[in-house]
C-alpha cells in the first residue's frame, strides 16, 4: 500500500469573539487530506486532519518543508512491518528529518495537521474507530464508554452583556453539559467578578464553572484574581500567566488552593515535562490541557502521556484543549480525564458527531472507522470541498 496524494487547503474560521489576548476576526485553519491506494466501499481511503483553533493555518511550513518530505519519501519507508498499513511513527520521523530540536513554534502545528490525517487513515484502513485502535495498540485494550465534556464559551463579544452571557450558558446546560467555561482577563477584575456571579446564577455552584485568562496576567494580577476567585470554589482557574512562565504558575499555586489548569500552549513532551517539574502543578487537583493537534500530533502526544507518571500525574489529569473529535478518541482510547467542547463557536471544526448527545456532562463515541469525521456532515463536507476529495 502507499500514499498516492496529499492535498492541503486553508479554511477560514473567523469570528468577532475575543478572549483576553486575541480576537478571532482573521483566524484560519489548515486542512490536509492524505489519499491512499487502499480501497474501502469502492473508494480510496482518505485521512483528514486540521489544526485546533487559536493557531493560524500553517500553509507555508506545510508546503515548504513537511509535505515535500512526505511526497518524496520512498513509499515502503512509511509502511508498518506487516506491510498492510501506514506507520505513524515512520511518517513522523520522515516529517521531522533535518529539523533541529527545540524552538517548536508553529512547526508543531504543521506536523500535527498531517499526523491527524495519518491516524485517521490508519484507523480507517484497520476498519475500526481510532479510539478502539489506540486502546488495542497503545492502551490497555479497553475504552471508556463515555467521556466527560465541558462547554467552552463565554467569550467577550461586541455588545454582549451579562444577560446574553447567562443565556449562552443556559443553552449549554440545556444541551446536557454540566460544566461550562468562560473567559476572564479581557476586562477589569471587578467586571469579571460581576460576569462570574452572573453565570453562577445559571449554573448554581462554582464546581460547574471554569474560568480562562488565556495567559494574560503578570504575577501580581494572577494572585489578585486568585484571591478574588477563591471563595467561589470553581472547577478550575486556567492559564493565568504566560504558558512558559513556570515560576509564575508555581508561585500562584501557593496562593490558590483550588484546581488550576494549563498546558494548551505547550507543544512538545519536553515542554510538558518542564511544566510538571517546575510549574508547581498538583496531581491531586490540577488539570493538564495539552492539545494533540497543536503538539506535533499523536506520535508526540504519546510521548507526553508517557512522562506523566514520573511526575506523579496520570492520564486522568489530562483534559485536552481543542474541542475536536481527535481528542475525544484519545480520551476514550487512552483513558484521559475528559475533553473540551465548543457548542457554538469554531464551526464546523468543533463539536462531535451529529448524532452525539451530551447527557449529564458526558458523551458516547460513534461506531465509525477512523476519527469519525464522516459522522459530522458539516465538517466532512467542508474538508472534502477544501481539498477536492
Amino acid at each position: 500500500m502507499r500514499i498516492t496524494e496529499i492535498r492541503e487547503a486553508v479554511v477560514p474560521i473567523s469570528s468577532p469573539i475575543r478572549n483576553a489576548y486575541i480576537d478571532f476576526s482573521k483566524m484560519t485553519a489548515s486542512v490536509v487530506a492524505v489519499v491512499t491506494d487502499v480501497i474501502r466501499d469502492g473508494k480510496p481511503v482518505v485521512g483528514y486532519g486540521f489544526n485546533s483553533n487559536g493557531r493560524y493555518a500553517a500553509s507555508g511550513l506545510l508546503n515548504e518543508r513537511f509535505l515535500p518530505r512526505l511526497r518524496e519519501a520512498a513509499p515502503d519507508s512509511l509502511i508498518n512491518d506487516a506491510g498492510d498499513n501506514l506507520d505513524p511513527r515512520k511518517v513522523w520521523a520522515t516529517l521531522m528529518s533535518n529539523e533541529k530540536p527545540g524552538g517548536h513554534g508553529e512547526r508543531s502545528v504543521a506536523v500535527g495537521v498531517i499526523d491527524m490525517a495519518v491516524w485517521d487513515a490508519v484507523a480507517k484502513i484497520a476498519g475500526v474507530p481510532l479510539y478502539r485502535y489506540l486502546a488495542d495498540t497503545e492502551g490497555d485494550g479497553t475504552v471508556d464508554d463515555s467521556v466527560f465534556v465541558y462547554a467552552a464559551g463565554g467569550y467577550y463579544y461586541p455588545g454582549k452583556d451579562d444577560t446574553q452571557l447567562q443565556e449562552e450558558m443556559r443553552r449549554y446546560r440545556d444541551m446536557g453539559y454540566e460544566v461550562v467555561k468562560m473567559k476572564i482577563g479581557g476586562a477589569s477584575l471587578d467586571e469579571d467578578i460581576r460576569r462570574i456571579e452572573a453565570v453562577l446564577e445559571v449554573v448554581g455552584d462554582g464546581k460547574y464553572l471554569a474560568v480562562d485568562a488565556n495567559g494574560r496576567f503578570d504575577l501580581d494580577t494572577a494572585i489578585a484574581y486568585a484571591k478574588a476567585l477563591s471563595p467561589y470554589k470553581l472547577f478550575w482557574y486556567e492559564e493565568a500567566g504566560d504558558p512558559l512562565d513556570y515560576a509564575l504558575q508555581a508561585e500562584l499555586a501557593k496562593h490558590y488552593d483550588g484546581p488550576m489548569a494549563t498546558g494548551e500552549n505547550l507543544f512538545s513532551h519536553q515542554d510538558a515535562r518542564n511544566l510538571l517539574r517546575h510549574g508547581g502543578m498538583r496531581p491531586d487537583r490540577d488539570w493538564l490541557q495539552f492539545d494533540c493537534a497543536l503538539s506535533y500530533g499523536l506520535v508526540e502526544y504519546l510521548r507526553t502521556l508517557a512522562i506523566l507518571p514520573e511526575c506523579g500525574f496520570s492520564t486522568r489529569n489530562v483534559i485536552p484543549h481543542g474541542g475536536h473529535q481527535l481528542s475525544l478518541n484519545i480520551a476514550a482510547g487512552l483513558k484521559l480525564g475528559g475533553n473540551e467542547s465548543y457548542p457554538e463557536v469554531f464551526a464546523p471544526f468543533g463539536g462531535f458527531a451529529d448524532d452525539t448527545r451530551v447527557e449529564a456532562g458526558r458523551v458516547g463515541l460513534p461506531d465509525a472507522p477512523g476519527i469519525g469525521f464522516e459522522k459530522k456532515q458539516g465538517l466532512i463536507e467542508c474538508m472534502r470541498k477544501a481539498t477536492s476529495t
Side-chain angles (χ1 to χ4, degrees), residues 159-197:
K160 185 176 184 178
D161 60 21
D162 292 352
T163 299
Q164 292 169 310
L165 178 61
Q166 289 177 316
E167 291 172 352
E168 177 190 358
M169 298 305 177
R170 194 171 288 112
R171 289 194 297 273
Y172 298 157
R173 296 301 293 270
D174 291 343
M175 292 175 190
Y177 296 94
E178 291 187 344
V179 177
V180 300
K181 187 172 82 175
M182 62 179 286
K183 300 299 183 181
I184 60 172
S188 68
L189 175 56
D190 288 344
E191 183 177 345
D192 277 336
I193 292 299
R194 191 196 72 231
R195 295 171 65 247
I196 288 169
E197 291 182 345

Side-chain angles (χ1 to χ4, degrees), residues 276-296:
L276 301 184
R277 285 176 173 173
H278 307 298
M281 300 297 284
R282 303 156 298 186
D284 65 330
R285 75 198 78 168
D286 290 339
W287 300 97
L288 307 170
Q289 300 173 297
F290 314 122
D291 184 338
C292 176
L294 301 178
S295 308
Y296 292 105

Side-chain angles (χ1 to χ4, degrees), residues 300-321:
E300 177 72 359
Y301 207 73
L302 290 166
R303 299 187 186 110
T304 297
L305 297 180
I307 67 168
L308 298 181
E310 70 185 53
C311 299
F313 290 79
S314 81
T315 58
R316 295 299 189 187
N317 287 98
V318 181
I319 298 182
H321 165 269

Side-chain angles (χ1 to χ4, degrees), residues 55 101-108 242-246 262-279 281 288 290 294-296 300 303-304 307-308 311:
R55 297 284 163 175
H104 305 288
E106 301 297 310
R107 76 177 179 187
S108 66
D242 187 281
L244 292 175
D245 194 341
Y246 305 128
T262 193
E264 71 177 66
N265 290 301
L266 302 180
F267 300 149
S268 69
H269 78 272
Q270 294 93 340
D271 284 338
R273 184 170 55 205
N274 281 336
L275 171 67
L276 301 184
R277 285 176 173 173
H278 307 298
M281 300 297 284
L288 307 170
F290 314 122
L294 301 178
S295 308
Y296 292 105
E300 177 72 359
R303 299 187 186 110
T304 297
I307 67 168
L308 298 181
C311 299

Side-chain angles (χ1 to χ4, degrees), residues 249-267:
Q249 188 70 28
E251 180 63 25
L252 183 60
K254 301 175 183 178
H255 300 269
Y256 190 74
D257 290 333
M260 293 192 291
T262 193
E264 71 177 66
N265 290 301
L266 302 180
F267 300 149

Side-chain angles (χ1 to χ4, degrees), residues 359-374:
E359 297 181 355
R362 302 185 71 86
V363 297
L365 282 295
D367 185 18
I371 293 174
F373 295 136
E374 287 75 11

